[in-house]
Amino acid sequence: MNTLIFIPNGFSTEKSGFIEGFYKDHSYFEVYYITKTRVFSVCKNHIGYVGKIINGDFLGKKTIFVERGTKNIQVNHDSEIARSVTEVYYDIEEFKMNNLSYCKDGDSGVVLNDLSEKLADSLHKTNGNKHWLYHWWLILVNLLIKIFSKLRSVIKNCAILTHIESNIKTTSWFLSSLEQGKYTPTHSNICFAKLIDLTLGLIFFYLGQKFKCDIISQFHFVSQDFVTHLRKLLIYLMGSPIGLKLNYAFNHSLGKFFFYHINLWRVFLQAMQPLLEANFTILLLPALLGLSYQIAVICDIISLATFHTYCIYVYAARLYSLQIKGLTTLSRLFIGRKYNPLRNRVDSCNYSSTQLFIGTLGFTILLFLLPTTLMYYTVFVAFRLATLGVYTVFNKLKNWVSNIPLYIFVMWVLRSSSIAGTPHLSWIAGVSKNAQITVKLAPLSLGESLHRFSHTVKCCEGSLSFGTIVTHVFSGQRM
């Protein structure tokens, strides 16, 4: 049976006293962990003694004895079975700063994880009891999370409310992990990121107030110019775009229908212009909480300013989807099949001549109207994809500003032991009768450091994958 003894670098044997640490018994080996670099005259959690040669029964079984002034170690076993002893030297400060048991991959081994977790717990205990306000804050944050979960169907379409929920969840995780003593570089990175976010928000608020008139006039110009170009595009589509021969009556009906919504939205923008000028400072107030909050407001403004194109896209997508489903259903007439909703399958069917005539007539009408619908759908689905692209860019920027990993990057550049995590063992050539090795935590790569110590919260906001977007585009489903 093997015996491992973990000894911190700088462990002093100049004085006699008890050795603080703990003991772990595994199936095929046992481990003694020394968790202090000095000895104590009185110690509750001792695993051995430093001093002169004494009887092992003085300390009891499963203890270690270190001869004073030297590092000769003896293990007092509870049996006479011969054991091999391995002395493992480690940096106690390095293991305190980097708790391996809280790493995401957990590949450091049970022996090193036990040591790291014990040292982190002892560090947490030395911090003392937290103030009562800390627990009240935790209760308040958890209550807010429950309220937001009840209103998820409402807030999922609002970027600012979604961002607030994400920050509340981050706060809850932060406080809960601190309560359990799990302080890692992730917590430091969150604090540092929030400080940068707040600083950038204050700068943005100052610049927004300084260039208020320019921003309002530019927004009004861009929105009105966009509506004007959209009306010109509809006029072009109502003619013969790129030489297409479209159904004249159906084309003009769709064009006038979409024209009505664009004119309605143009009147709405004109009515909102005075309100925007009067309440522009209110729209900048979220920047006082951080730049990420202001970007979330900008995301909502983008959604609001492009609402008219979204409505037209929804109408065109719905019409296109109905025609595609109609053509798919009526096409089964020609092969003598029909869909059975009771069994959720396609069965054989004998159609009468009247059914075949009406079905063929309906199929022909839908087929010849499809190019006109497809033209409008193609144009406005392109507008929708462009809007989603801009929205996604701002949303990614918001998340990046809110969780900027600058602290992790600086620690990685400085090769700080707090973001180390890969144990490296090396042999020590010495004259001791026991085998001696040293363990060090090697620095991680930059990508692995960012992956391990960055914190992200999954919230109700979701982004469609590329495959889902392609499926929705061809099927006419709403995005």
Side-chain angles (χ1 to χ4, degrees):
M1 189 171 183
N2 297 326
T3 300
L4 296 177
I5 304 176
F6 279 81
I7 307 170
N9 295 333
F11 177 66
S12 176
T13 59
E14 299 299 325
K15 297 181 180 180
S16 299
F18 292 96
I19 303 173
E20 183 174 338
F22 64 102
Y23 170 82
K24 285 281 186 176
D25 188 8
H26 299 275
S27 300
Y28 301 101
F29 61 95
E30 59 180 1
V31 187
Y32 295 88
Y33 297 95
I34 301 177
T35 57
K36 298 292 182 180
T37 57
R38 62 186 183 91
V39 296
F40 301 88
S41 57
V42 178
C43 182
K44 294 182 179 179
N45 301 319
H46 68 81
I47 58 169
Y49 186 79
V50 174
K52 297 181 179 180
I53 299 295
I54 60 174
N55 187 4
D57 295 335
F58 174 74
L59 295 174
K61 304 299 183 181
K62 295 183 179 179
T63 56
I64 58 177
F65 173 77
V66 182
E67 186 177 357
R68 181 177 176 180
T70 66
K71 290 189 177 180
N72 296 328
I73 300 178
Q74 299 178 6
V75 181
N76 190 20
H77 301 294
D78 55 357
S79 65
E80 299 300 329
I81 301 177
R83 300 168 185 253
S84 61
V85 179
T86 302
E87 301 174 10
V88 183
Y89 292 89
Y90 70 96
D91 188 340
I92 189 171
E93 295 300 327
E94 187 178 59
F95 275 79
K96 277 184 179 180
M97 295 174 64
N98 194 334
N99 193 346
L100 300 178
S101 62
Y102 303 140
C103 294
K104 296 178 182 179
D105 49 10
D107 59 352
S108 301
V110 63
V111 176
L112 294 179
N113 282 350
D114 289 340
L115 173 62
S116 181
E117 185 174 2
K118 190 70 175 181
L119 291 175
D121 290 341
S122 63
L123 181 63
H124 172 59
K125 291 178 181 178
T126 57
N127 289 335
N129 296 326
K130 297 179 177 61
H131 197 270
W132 61 271
L133 285 176
Y134 172 87
H135 302 286
W136 280 106
W137 269 109
L138 188 58
I139 294 174
L140 178 60
V141 168
N142 291 331
L143 178 61
L144 291 175
I145 291 178
K146 291 182 180 180
I147 294 175
F148 272 88
S149 63
K150 296 294 183 180
L151 302 175
R152 180 155 299 174
S153 59
V154 178
I155 69 174
K156 67 179 181 180
N157 296 319
C158 181
I160 183 63
L161 293 179
T162 302
H163 186 59
I164 292 174
E165 183 192 16
S166 176
N167 279 270
I168 291 176
K169 287 185 176 181
T170 300
T171 305
S172 176
W173 174 86
F174 190 91
L175 297 177
S176 300
S177 56
L178 287 183
E179 189 177 33
Q180 300 172 10
K182 300 180 180 180
Y183 188 85
T184 65
T186 305
H187 298 80
S188 300
N189 187 73
I190 290 176
C191 296
F192 200 72
K194 294 304 178 185
L195 181 61
I196 296 177
D197 187 15
L198 182 61
T199 303
L200 294 177
L202 295 176
I203 296 175
F204 186 91
F205 181 82
Y206 170 75
L207 295 177
Q209 288 289 81
K210 184 177 181 180
F211 301 100
K212 174 181 176 180
C213 297
D214 296 336
I215 295 175
I216 294 175
S217 61
Q218 189 67 21
F219 176 79
H220 178 70
F221 172 77
V222 171
S223 60
Q224 293 297 327
D225 188 61
F226 182 74
V227 172
T228 302
H229 282 83
L230 191 57
R231 295 180 69 221
K232 292 180 179 179
L233 177 62
L234 281 178
I235 295 174
Y236 174 73
L237 295 178
M238 291 172 66
S240 297
I242 60 175
L244 294 176
K245 299 298 182 180
L246 304 175
N247 186 286
Y248 178 82
F250 186 52
N251 187 12
H252 273 252
S253 298
L254 288 179
K256 290 181 179 179
F257 178 73
F258 294 145
F259 246 114
Y260 170 76
H261 287 83
I262 293 177
N263 291 331
L264 184 64
W265 192 253
R266 185 174 189 176
V267 173
F268 175 78
L269 290 178
Q270 291 175 351
M272 290 295 295
Q273 182 70 17
L275 294 176
L276 179 63
E277 296 177 2
N279 300 284
F280 183 77
T281 303
I282 297 178
L283 294 176
L284 289 179
L285 288 180
L288 299 178
L289 300 176
L291 181 61
S292 59
Y293 286 88
Q294 188 61 54
I295 297 176
V297 173
I298 294 176
C299 290
D300 287 330
I301 293 176
I302 292 174
S303 300
L304 191 63
T306 58
F307 185 69
H308 55 306
T309 58
Y310 176 74
C311 289
I312 297 176
Y313 157 74
V314 170
Y315 299 145
R318 186 61 177 171
L319 185 60
Y320 169 78
S321 177
L322 289 175
Q323 289 187 236
I324 292 296
K325 290 180 180 178
L327 288 172
T328 303
T329 302
L330 294 175
S331 65
R332 298 191 180 103
L333 285 169
F334 305 106
I335 57 176
R337 311 277 288 180
K338 76 170 184 177
Y339 177 73
N340 188 345
L342 298 178
R343 297 186 177 182
N344 194 24
R345 68 183 186 185
V346 178
D347 296 331
S348 300
C349 180
N350 294 322
Y351 293 99
S352 64
S353 58
T354 303
Q355 290 174 327
L356 287 173
F357 173 75
I358 295 176
T360 304
L361 183 62
F363 180 85
T364 304
I365 293 174
L366 291 178
L367 182 62
F368 281 96
L369 291 180
L370 182 62
T372 305
T373 305
L374 184 60
M375 179 192 65
Y376 282 95
Y377 176 70
T378 302
V379 171
F380 289 107
V381 80
F383 274 109
R384 179 57 181 167
L385 291 176
T387 303
L388 285 178
V390 174
Y391 184 91
T392 302
V393 169
F394 276 96
N395 194 43
K396 295 292 184 183
L397 179 62
K398 175 199 67 178
N399 295 332
W400 184 81
V401 171
S402 180
N403 301 283
I404 180 172
L406 184 58
Y407 175 84
I408 300 299
F409 177 75
V410 172
M411 292 296 100
W412 179 82
V413 170
L414 297 178
R415 291 292 187 267
S416 173
S417 59
S418 61
I419 60 171
T422 305
H424 280 192
L425 304 178
S426 58
W427 182 267
I428 299 178
V431 295
S432 174
K433 61 180 180 180
N434 300 327
Q436 294 181 338
I437 60 176
T438 181
V439 57
K440 292 184 178 180
L441 300 181
L444 300 173
S445 64
L446 178 58
E448 190 175 357
S449 299
L450 297 177
H451 173 73
R452 175 175 292 188
F453 297 108
S454 296
H455 177 73
T456 55
V457 175
K458 292 184 178 180
C459 209
C460 61
E461 60 178 354
S463 57
L464 299 176
S465 62
F466 178 77
T468 304
I469 291 177
V470 173
T471 303
H472 285 196
V473 168
F474 282 97
S475 62
Q477 299 181 50
R478 182 168 57 91
M479 291 182 292

